[in-house]
Amino acid sequence: MKQTNLIKESNKMSIIRIAPVCGGKIYVTKHSLAGEKSPHMDLPIVESATHVSAKSDRTACKVKEKFHRHLHTDAAPRLCVKHRSSMNKEATIFLYILPLKSEDEIHFHEGEFVTSEDISNHPEAYAPDLLKESELLGMAAELWEDFYHTEI
């Protein structure tokens, strides 16, 4: 299912978006959750769900586990913000970050780490929801970078 279809079909549903972050950068890819090419770079982990609000952390962990072959980390997704989708105002997005200690902990085909500045400098290359989230994700990525560098 293409991501745009995922968003259209998520009327009154929730969307879990998980942003892997490392070294002050955000991991993006052109491949959607179903492995299909997307015209824009976006987060690699996106899935629709129903009745998420009370169990969003548990749901995000289950979504992360579906991608275990691409991830080599025990880190748990951490809720960053809840907002309305840019493409479907009735869909609620639960945006998570997945803090990584090393860029080697993630492997999606055609994926790369970018800064929030890269996203804002080339908005035509990125999905609308990622454009909306990029500044917040950039701050979160930098905070986790600082945390891992000061960890004892």
Side-chain angles (χ1 to χ4, degrees):
M1 174 184 307
K2 291 185 179 177
Q3 187 172 359
T4 52
N5 291 340
L6 175 75
I7 292 171
K8 288 176 187 172
E9 291 175 10
S10 64
N11 193 17
K12 300 204 181 195
M13 293 179 65
S14 299
I15 300 172
I16 301 282
R17 292 174 51 81
I18 301 177
V21 297
C22 183
K25 296 179 180 178
I26 306 155
Y27 191 80
V28 296
T29 182
K30 282 194 176 187
H31 289 272
S32 69
L33 132 94
E36 298 170 352
K37 278 245 185 197
S38 168
H40 298 104
M41 297 294 274
D42 198 5
L43 301 179
I45 305 173
V46 178
E47 185 162 309
S48 64
T50 56
H51 313 297
V52 171
S53 60
K55 306 173 195 170
S56 65
D57 290 347
R58 196 169 346 146
T59 304
C61 286
K62 287 179 184 178
V63 170
K64 176 200 163 218
E65 290 308 312
K66 289 181 181 182
F67 295 89
H68 69 277
R69 71 178 185 268
H70 300 287
L71 301 167
H72 307 286
T73 181
D74 292 329
R78 300 171 192 281
L79 183 63
C80 215
V81 70
K82 179 175 120 175
H83 67 90
R84 294 284 179 202
S85 170
S86 296
M87 299 186 67
N88 177 352
K89 298 295 183 193
E90 294 187 27
T92 301
I93 293 178
F94 289 80
L95 177 63
Y96 283 79
I97 60 165
L98 181 64
L100 305 174
K101 290 184 179 182
S102 164
E103 290 185 7
D104 295 333
E105 293 179 323
I106 188 166
H107 301 285
F108 280 86
H109 184 67
E110 294 186 25
E112 63 181 288
F113 281 94
V114 298
T115 64
S116 59
E117 291 81 24
D118 293 334
I119 296 169
S120 58
N121 289 339
H122 303 285
E124 69 284 352
Y126 297 93
D129 285 324
L130 184 58
L131 291 171
K132 183 177 177 179
E133 300 160 345
S134 67
E135 186 176 345
L136 176 64
L137 287 173
M139 288 187 288
E142 289 174 14
L143 286 171
W144 277 101
E145 178 185 27
D146 292 345
F147 173 76
Y148 282 139
H149 282 36
T150 58
E151 191 176 31
I152 298 175

